[in-house]
Amino acid sequence: MGSAREAALITLTACERQGAWSDGYLKKALREQELDKRDAALASRLCYGVLQNRLLLDWQLARFCNKRLEALDAPVLCGLRAAVYQILFLDKIPPSAAVNEAVELTKKYCRNPRAAGMVNGILRAMLRQKDLPEPEGCDKAETLSLKYSHPLWLVEEFIDTLGPEGAERLLEADNLQPPTAAQINPLRGTLEKLTEELREAGAEVLGIVSIFTYGLQKGLDRLNAANVTNYSLSNFDAVCEIAAAEGKIQPEDIDRLKKFRANPSDESWRD
């Protein structure tokens, strides 16, 4: 069994050397390393985090590396990037652990016997400088490009359209981790029950909206307000009959659902 950092390094190296598709190659690496869910999540975070922040990571590395980064072997460069990403972004991982693992993986995947010492020296020097500076380019566009790891030409387009402040807000938002969204199946459980179960499991549940009692009803209300009356849900009756046959809803509930479909503004369907 391998490690999360090793799976991330294998994937990043393949992306660097041969332009591999990160998602597909990472899945392959996770299977080969036989990682559990926790380590697989860390490997994914490392892999995608490095790819998303590569310009920023390379700018920081270039300050401590005497060689051009392009001249480094792919496993060395990718291992350095992964270690710097952990130092900058992953507060729960001790920096020393990130450095030690990077050194060990360099020994395993690089033939140059002196590469591990170089990796150790670069990362230890970075740790000694506690407050790493934010990147600076020759102008505002290049600075934002480095800080948020977006192509320079795209940042220039954003600045031309939104101005410097608006462009930076957009770039910052683009790098945020998107929230996880879930659609609840009302035939299998209630919104309240699932929310309770998720919170008991330690999940933070925000922005709860009942699509059945709010979204669908509002949509149909808009159609009614616009005098659109020839809409239909072609498989509605069939879905209800199948659900009742499988015991997911009671037969008497079919009439209530049909009543709702016919006139969602009539609250009697709840009775």
Side-chain angles (χ1 to χ4, degrees):
M1 180 179 293
S3 68
R5 295 179 181 87
E6 186 171 5
L9 177 63
I10 292 171
T11 303
L12 291 169
T13 301
C15 294
E16 185 72 18
R17 278 179 171 170
Q18 61 206 51
W21 178 38
S22 58
D23 184 61
Y25 208 97
L26 178 60
K27 290 178 180 177
K28 176 175 177 289
L30 294 179
R31 288 194 301 269
E32 292 176 348
Q33 297 294 313
E34 299 179 346
L35 302 182
D36 58 25
K37 290 184 178 180
R38 184 175 180 178
D39 283 340
L42 176 58
S44 300
R45 178 75 182 274
L46 290 176
C47 181
Y48 296 133
V50 168
L51 294 175
Q52 185 182 51
N53 296 277
R54 189 166 61 179
L55 291 180
L56 171 61
L57 301 176
D58 285 358
W59 186 86
Q60 294 287 2
L61 281 170
R63 298 174 54 247
F64 297 92
C65 185
N66 294 327
K67 293 184 177 181
R68 292 185 305 107
L69 298 185
E70 296 82 0
L72 299 177
D73 289 343
V76 175
L77 178 56
C78 293
L80 284 168
R81 285 170 175 167
V84 176
Y85 176 78
Q86 293 170 76
I87 293 171
L88 292 178
F89 293 98
L90 302 185
D91 297 337
K92 295 183 179 180
I93 294 180
S96 58
V99 173
N100 293 337
E101 189 72 13
V103 171
E104 293 303 315
L105 289 174
T106 301
K107 293 178 182 178
K108 182 174 182 179
Y109 286 96
C110 183
R111 296 179 180 178
N112 187 337
R114 290 185 291 184
M118 181 191 67
V119 168
N120 184 65
I122 291 173
L123 296 176
R124 297 292 178 186
M126 186 175 290
L127 291 183
R128 285 193 293 271
Q129 186 174 339
K130 295 182 179 180
D131 297 322
L132 296 175
E134 290 193 352
E136 294 183 8
C138 61
D139 56 18
K140 182 66 172 179
E142 186 176 15
T143 297
L144 292 178
S145 172
L146 293 170
K147 181 178 180 180
Y148 296 103
S149 291
H150 281 63
L152 179 59
W153 66 266
L154 183 59
V155 175
E156 291 173 341
E157 290 288 339
F158 287 163
I159 291 177
D160 289 343
T161 304
L162 304 172
E165 293 184 0
E168 182 162 12
R169 289 197 299 270
L170 176 59
L171 293 168
E172 183 179 9
D174 194 38
N175 277 2
L176 294 176
Q177 185 174 356
T180 300
Q183 182 177 352
I184 296 172
N185 181 355
L187 302 181
R188 288 296 185 93
T190 65
L191 174 67
E192 293 76 12
K193 180 62 175 176
L194 181 57
T195 300
E196 181 183 351
E197 291 176 356
L198 288 172
R199 285 176 172 159
E200 287 178 353
E204 183 180 8
V205 184
L206 301 173
I208 302 170
V209 176
S210 173
I211 294 177
F212 184 73
T213 60
Y214 176 80
L216 179 58
Q217 181 168 343
K218 291 297 182 182
L220 295 177
D221 284 346
R222 289 181 181 179
L223 293 176
N224 291 332
N227 293 321
V228 178
T229 59
N230 60 345
Y231 60 85
S232 65
L233 300 176
S234 59
N235 66 339
F236 184 90
D237 294 340
V239 168
C240 287
E241 297 293 345
I242 293 174
E246 294 179 351
K248 296 174 183 177
I249 61 175
Q250 297 300 316
E252 57 268 23
D253 287 336
I254 295 178
D255 292 334
R256 299 173 63 219
L257 293 171
K258 290 180 178 179
K259 195 174 185 179
F260 171 78
R261 174 196 175 190
N263 187 5
S265 61
D266 183 359
E267 290 292 319
S268 64
W269 68 273
R270 297 179 183 273
D271 299 335

